[in-house]
Amino acid sequence: MPPQGASWGNQFIGIGAAILLVVLVALTIQVLLVPLVAAMFLAYLFEPGIEVLQRRGMGRGQAYLIIFAIASIGLVTLLSFAPAWLGAGSTIGSTQTLSDRLEAQLTQLENWADSHLPMFKSIRVSDRLSAQAVGVAESLITALPGLVTSFIVNLILVPIIAYFIVRDGRKLRRRIVALVPNRYFEMSLIMFHRIDEQIGGYLRGRLIECMLVGLTQMLLMGIASVVVEQPQILLISIVCGLTNVIPYAGPVMGSAFGVFYYFALGLPSGSILALLIIAAVAHLIDNIVIAPAVLSHNVDLHPLTVALVLVIGGEVLGVLGLLIAIPVASTIKVVATEFYTNYQVQVR
Amino acid sequence: MKQDGIWGSSFRRSRQKESISDILRTIPLFANLTQKELKVLEESVHKRTYQAGETVFVETEPGAGMYVIESGRVDIVLHHNSEKRLLLAELEPGEFFGEMALLGDTTRSATAVARERSQLIGFFHPDLLEVINLHPQIGARIALGLAKTLADRLRYTNGQLRELWDIRGPHAAAGG
């Protein structure tokens, strides 16, 4: 029988090792969460193409590399040969800084508000917003080197992680399922299948929808640019397309970015109004034509649940939380439903 | 198979130590597959070990797919864990069960319990969908095999009903 001191020592080492492991896992997740989520998006987006090549006898890893190469070349070509009207170059050739232009615009807006809405005279929106904007700009400039580094690291890391997810994801899933006790084996198989089906369908549908929304926005802005000034069409369309991933709040965020940007550039109100109308029309087209066509795999969550999980996701993980809130909620729903069904059978 | 019943005795084979593809070839569902196709299928199946008395699946539970007995014996019973327990079949190596769940979204019509330590090969609805998606030709052959097996089962049931009709009249056959 080992002495009690040795037993305590072993327990102490065990607890220490467990804490260390938890900290290491937490740190790894914190560092790798963003590239991991982005890689999963990429893997799900490429999956249909990978399956087409797999049917022709190609390995999953090889198929991923081919599709990734085609997508990268396509994207670079698109950006290199973007038509002049997309305004991918610099903004208007003004010598004013962004903060100067923003301040001038705000002062103009405040003068208008003072003359039309005298009760808001004491608020001094211009000063407050200007100070806030300068503060945000300063913090952005301070954080910029870090952001650029992290962007470049993620740009390299994401495709590599996606490659391993595509190549080994199914094998890993089979190994996890193999570890499940017999009693829960079939349940876990069904659960994995449903999660994969729902999340895969939802993410692919959403990503295709975002691309089409961005494209619609680009076309509409291109048409509008014939009549009113619409600079940086490509940038604004990409932002509108990307933010569209977030249900409900996304289109508002995309439009707000465009309006704020045009406002800061000192463009006439006609351009801003046109942008708002275009964003509304693009959103309408999305709801009537694009979404019903591409979102065949609905995650079947109540709109109130969607709103609630978006608020929680945004509070906990910021923008990343907004992006993964729906898939995570959908996964939790599938797991809970399967466990509940199983429990009901057991108590019957 | 010791008991009479729908579980069919025509699927039984006696065997020595065989590879998974050798075992699968003897199952009507996979009988039309070539050796190469069976090797592809081998990557989609799951090997599970059940101890004596362990439940493979439970009556009324959602089912995911079928099992082939590699070694050991499995009992198919109704009303397991109750006084009305009814043994439908005792399956032996080379026999299979639960294939209706391959069609998806079905509940188990009986309980399967390992009579002794058993090695089972599982093939499930998600695996079938994956095979159909990635290897359509193999998927079509399995689907045809499944249809044939289910048709055999239906023919057998019709035969049993006819016998019941002949012996006891239409009311007994209709369950009255």
Side-chain angles (χ1 to χ4, degrees):
Chain A
M1 188 176 162
Q4 206 172 11
S7 168
W8 282 355
N10 286 345
Q11 277 186 9
F12 185 74
I13 291 167
I15 291 167
I19 291 170
L20 192 70
L21 191 71
V22 168
V23 170
L24 275 174
V25 169
L27 278 174
T28 312
I29 287 174
Q30 199 192 0
V31 173
L32 286 179
L33 190 61
V34 173
L36 199 65
V37 169
M40 282 174 81
F41 269 71
L42 195 66
Y44 271 118
L45 182 67
F46 284 0
E47 188 59 33
I50 291 166
E51 284 178 359
V52 167
L53 292 178
Q54 239 189 312
R55 268 177 232 137
R56 291 170 189 274
M58 205 175 276
R60 287 179 65 77
Q62 209 181 349
Y64 167 84
L65 289 176
I66 287 175
I67 290 171
F68 181 73
I70 292 170
S72 305
I73 292 166
L75 197 66
V76 170
T77 313
L78 180 80
L79 291 174
S80 309
F81 298 101
W85 57 267
L86 292 180
S90 65
T91 54
I92 299 161
S94 164
T95 51
Q96 279 184 307
T97 62
L98 194 69
S99 75
D100 288 342
R101 284 197 292 251
L102 184 65
E103 202 166 344
Q105 285 281 326
L106 285 171
T107 311
Q108 205 182 334
L109 184 72
E110 196 171 355
N111 289 339
W112 178 87
D114 284 349
S115 59
H116 291 82
L117 306 161
M119 59 279 216
F120 294 119
K121 213 166 188 172
S122 61
I123 296 177
R124 300 187 63 76
V125 182
S126 155
D127 288 353
R128 285 171 189 223
L129 274 179
S130 192
Q132 285 276 333
V134 168
V136 169
E138 274 174 1
S139 60
L140 190 71
I141 287 164
T142 318
L144 202 59
L147 284 174
V148 170
T149 312
S150 129
F151 179 75
I152 292 168
V153 168
N154 282 341
L155 205 64
I156 299 164
L157 213 56
V158 168
I160 295 171
I161 297 175
Y163 171 76
F164 287 110
I165 289 176
V166 167
R167 203 191 66 171
D168 302 327
R170 290 187 179 180
K171 284 181 207 158
L172 183 70
R173 193 170 62 189
R174 283 179 70 83
R175 279 186 192 158
I176 292 170
V177 168
L179 295 174
V180 175
N182 287 336
R183 182 71 195 87
Y184 302 102
F185 168 65
E186 284 198 27
M187 188 189 78
S188 67
L189 260 181
I190 297 173
M191 213 160 68
F192 267 116
H193 173 64
R194 294 216 168 123
I195 290 171
D196 193 38
E197 214 175 31
Q198 280 209 355
I199 306 298
Y202 172 78
L203 289 185
R204 269 192 296 277
R206 268 272 172 214
L207 290 171
I208 293 166
E209 184 196 3
C210 290
M211 281 181 208
L212 293 176
V213 166
L215 209 65
T216 310
Q217 178 93 13
M218 201 186 287
L219 283 173
L220 291 174
M221 285 178 83
I223 295 165
S225 66
V226 179
V227 187
V228 286
E229 203 178 353
Q230 297 279 288
Q232 291 294 348
I233 294 175
L234 189 63
L235 175 72
I236 292 171
S237 303
I238 288 173
V239 172
C240 284
L242 287 176
T243 53
N244 204 65
V245 177
I246 303 160
Y248 305 128
V252 179
M253 286 162 75
S255 318
F257 168 80
V259 168
F260 178 78
Y261 193 72
Y262 276 13
F263 192 65
L265 286 180
L267 290 176
S269 53
S271 294
I272 296 171
L273 192 68
L275 180 70
L276 277 172
I277 293 168
I278 287 165
V281 171
H283 184 57
L284 207 66
I285 293 173
D286 176 27
N287 279 335
I288 296 170
V289 185
I290 302 170
V294 295
L295 286 178
S296 55
H297 296 276
N298 206 311
V299 287
D300 196 25
L301 290 174
H302 191 275
L304 195 67
T305 315
V306 171
L308 196 70
V309 297
L310 281 176
V311 170
I312 296 169
E315 279 294 319
V316 177
L317 288 170
V319 176
L320 181 71
L322 290 173
L323 288 174
I324 63 171
I326 306 292
V328 168
S330 176
T331 305
I332 292 170
K333 190 186 169 187
V334 171
V335 172
T337 308
E338 288 303 323
F339 268 101
Y340 182 67
T341 312
N342 205 266
Y343 169 75
Q344 274 192 319
V345 171
Q346 280 179 18
V347 297
R348 202 178 287 159
Chain B
M1 174 125 71
K2 297 284 162 58
Q3 300 286 315
D4 181 20
I6 200 167
W7 302 93
S9 58
S10 57
F11 307 129
R12 181 166 25 133
R13 303 283 187 282
S14 62
R15 56 173 43 79
Q16 303 293 313
K17 185 76 181 168
E18 291 164 308
S19 73
I20 291 179
S21 58
D22 288 336
I23 296 165
L24 292 177
R25 190 191 293 118
T26 62
I27 306 300
L29 259 76
F30 314 120
N32 295 329
L33 301 184
T34 62
Q35 187 61 32
K36 199 179 165 190
E37 289 170 338
L38 283 166
K39 284 285 172 199
V40 172
L41 187 67
E42 206 176 309
E43 287 171 19
S44 298
V45 300
H46 307 254
K47 271 188 93 166
R48 308 289 299 183
T49 305
Y50 292 81
Q51 302 306 322
E54 195 175 355
T55 308
V56 181
F57 56 70
V58 180
E59 192 180 343
T60 72
E61 215 175 57
M66 65 175 285
Y67 294 88
V68 178
I69 304 172
E70 189 182 358
S71 66
R73 282 170 208 280
V74 174
D75 288 346
I76 306 294
V77 293
L78 279 179
H79 314 300
H80 186 53
N81 288 337
S82 86
E83 285 178 2
K84 291 190 286 179
R85 187 179 192 274
L86 178 65
L87 181 67
L88 294 176
E90 189 190 322
L91 304 178
E92 295 176 347
E95 292 183 305
F96 65 97
F97 56 97
E99 70 283 354
M100 262 173 69
L102 269 180
L103 298 170
D105 283 336
T106 53
T107 50
R108 296 294 187 187
S109 54
T111 300
V113 187
R115 180 176 278 258
E116 56 193 60
R117 187 184 149 86
S118 306
Q119 295 262 16
L120 305 183
I121 300 165
F123 182 61
F124 302 97
H125 179 64
D127 306 321
L128 176 63
L129 292 182
E130 195 178 291
V131 170
I132 289 171
N133 188 25
L134 298 179
H135 311 280
Q137 199 176 336
I138 303 177
R141 285 181 181 175
I142 295 173
L144 194 65
L146 180 62
K148 275 182 185 168
T149 306
L150 294 177
D152 282 346
R153 304 278 200 222
L154 188 63
R155 217 170 283 128
Y156 180 86
T157 311
N158 284 345
Q160 295 281 83
L161 274 172
R162 188 180 294 277
E163 275 177 29
L164 205 60
W165 175 291
D166 292 343
I167 298 166
R168 298 177 64 181
H171 295 296

